[in-house]
Amino acid sequence: MENEIVDIDLLIKKVLSYNPDADIELLKKAHLFSNEAHGAQKRIGGAPYIEHPLSVASILADMKMDVATIAAGLLHDTIEDTETTVKDIKDHFGKEIAFLVEGLTKLSKMEFMTKEEVQAENFRKMLLAMAEDLRVILIKFADRLHNMHTLQNLPENKQQSIASETLEIYAPIANRLGIGWLRTELEDMSFKVIMPDLYNELVRKVAKRKEEQEAYLKEVTAIVNSKLKEEGIPGKVSWRIKHYYGIYQKMQKQEIPFEQVHDVLGLRIITDTKANCYAILGLIHSLWAPVPGRFKDYIGVPKSNMYQSLHTTIIGPKGERVEFQIRTTEMSMIAEHGIASHWRYKEKGRVDEKSDRYISWLRELIQAQRELSDAKDFVEAVKGEVVPEVIYAFTPTGEIKEMPVGSTPVDFAYSIHSQVGNRCVGAKINGRIVPLKFVLRNGDTVEIITSPTQGPRRDWLKFVVTQRAKSRIKQWIKAEEYKQSIELGLKLLEGELRRHDLSQSVLKSEEMQQVLKFFNIPSLEDLYASIGRGKVSAHQIANKLLPEKPVEEAPVPKVIKPQKDHKGITIKGVDNVLYHTAKCCFPIPGDTLIGFVTKGRGVTIHRKTCPNLDRLALDNARLVDVEWKSEGDATSPVRLLIEAVDKPGILASLSAQISSVNINISNATVNSTEDKKSHITFILEVKDRSQLSGLIQKIAQLEGVLKVIR
């Protein structure tokens, strides 16, 4: 494929070889359109640009794809690299082909902060299109494969970047979709670019091993063929060479040198039925002793990419280890072509039931992407979902669940159902109770214990590994925090309305609708949540609901007059003097006080520790002694500044703690810093200093609280 020169006639010949009824005129039209659109454009290597879409279309024809997919392959770069628009493609080739081409077109007209964000958003767009029509990713695979073949024309840093992306993202997705030949080809080509010296060394060693073992494998093949004939079991025996990146991975994982990799060369036996697969397995084990722990039954328990085969390693003649893979013809086709095998000879095919099994993981991711607003997080989540390392665990009824390595009972619970995960309180592994962060092993039977009163815990996010579990836990926490924010916001707003003698009915008034419109908040619930989260203050909302004052009126300061049988302040030597408490230090009962005579406003009461007194003390004649008069049920405002770790739910936790000691919150504001800290200011109504001290101690002990300052 690498050196093949493709023209439209060769492409048509390929398509007709497997689809004699193909719409050839559509392919000719797409080729002509693409050729004219790209015009005199050339690839970096100097070749006419049209060679690239032709090569992509040819790879798709090798995969025996339908005509619409091949036409889209011919057109896949037209929107991005020429003056062509999506409407042009739709007008000339219809909605189906336009959708495929648009799904592959990069978001070149959008502005992003970094190059990585551009790549991540493009990738997200492609995966969303892939979920609707899998042919989008198959065209992208063909595009990437041809680009890998022509990588030598690019600068070295660009080669490294494309090869790394291919190895980290595209090869694992090809594997997850079961396209074995494509995965191995992409992996080996990337490996060659990223680690050329190691790649070339493995090529030499594999060639030498093949030369040394060729005669030996012929001998083993002859014995197997003879035995198959004797038993009357159909079977075709062939050799296979493990691909180079697969060998490298095994060396890395097991920390062994090349010389200790025993399955570099192996034998593959293709037969007609599943029953004969097991019959051949028995036959091989009757000839040679199997290596314990080296038998895998992927027919009884297929991989998530539908791969099926029996794997066994035996001690063959002369004590040499030989690996056998045994499968049917159909299993072999699925192992090589995966999801692509379901698209052969189809026209206008969409995701059918069989194909959908390949991408259930993608549907989960797309459902979860609402929680992953950052495209880079989404790409990382995709990488986590396409990692091939898995274990198999069982439900108590014997249902098999394929789970990523490192999964816990919580991951298992969410794989059954969201509600099972949300209500999970414990787990039994093989009948024994284990912690929820216990790491599952291959073959474990997992029983989940649930409770209707349980909800997900934030610390679960520290040990779950599946995207489904992570997204469901985050959704629950977000919903709970939203509810808490609504409760807190409503409480704050109702308190503020009472302070201004406004009726609760104002919440359902036309004026309130105007307030929502002013702050661009869609509903009352969202307003309460915004107040609860500190995004907008109850004071701001109440001010908007108050009747407008004439411009000439000056704001009247809040003046408290001491009343009989009510807690107040006594100013020594003076009676019935107007006073108000200072907003700089918010004095409360129990504090040592000092008064400052203010012209026209009576006496301002400060705490003796107030830093502003240094300035006021210059005029001693205006300082007066004051003291709290009597203790009653009245409260005084006090300001509390809290520094905490900036994390969801911190405001709700603090508010719950304050409410638990019967202290009213009259206002709350939140500011976040760049170093992930929250500065939260509460105005509280407290009885005295003793009550406030008790609250400060409790708040200081809350998880995430760094500092509490009055």
Side-chain angles (χ1 to χ4, degrees), residues 397-409:
T397 59
E399 183 187 349
I400 298 169
K401 292 284 180 184
E402 183 185 84
M403 308 293 297
V405 168
S407 291
T408 65

Side-chain angles (χ1 to χ4, degrees), residues 331-343:
M331 290 174 193
S332 189
M333 185 182 77
I334 290 171
E336 286 304 303
H337 302 286
I339 197 164
S341 63
H342 296 302
W343 296 91

Side-chain angles (χ1 to χ4, degrees), residues 125-168:
K125 175 179 180 277
M126 183 189 69
L127 279 190
L128 292 174
M130 165 188 163
E132 192 170 332
D133 194 321
L134 274 159
R135 292 173 296 178
V136 169
I137 195 71
L138 297 178
I139 300 166
K140 183 61 186 179
F141 281 148
D143 175 51
R144 180 53 60 110
L145 186 60
H146 185 251
N147 283 335
M148 289 298 293
H149 281 310
T150 57
L151 214 53
Q152 70 278 2
N153 297 320
L154 297 175
E156 190 175 338
N157 65 327
K158 190 80 172 170
Q159 289 185 39
Q160 291 282 329
S161 172
I162 292 171
S164 295
E165 185 185 51
T166 302
L167 195 60
E168 289 177 14

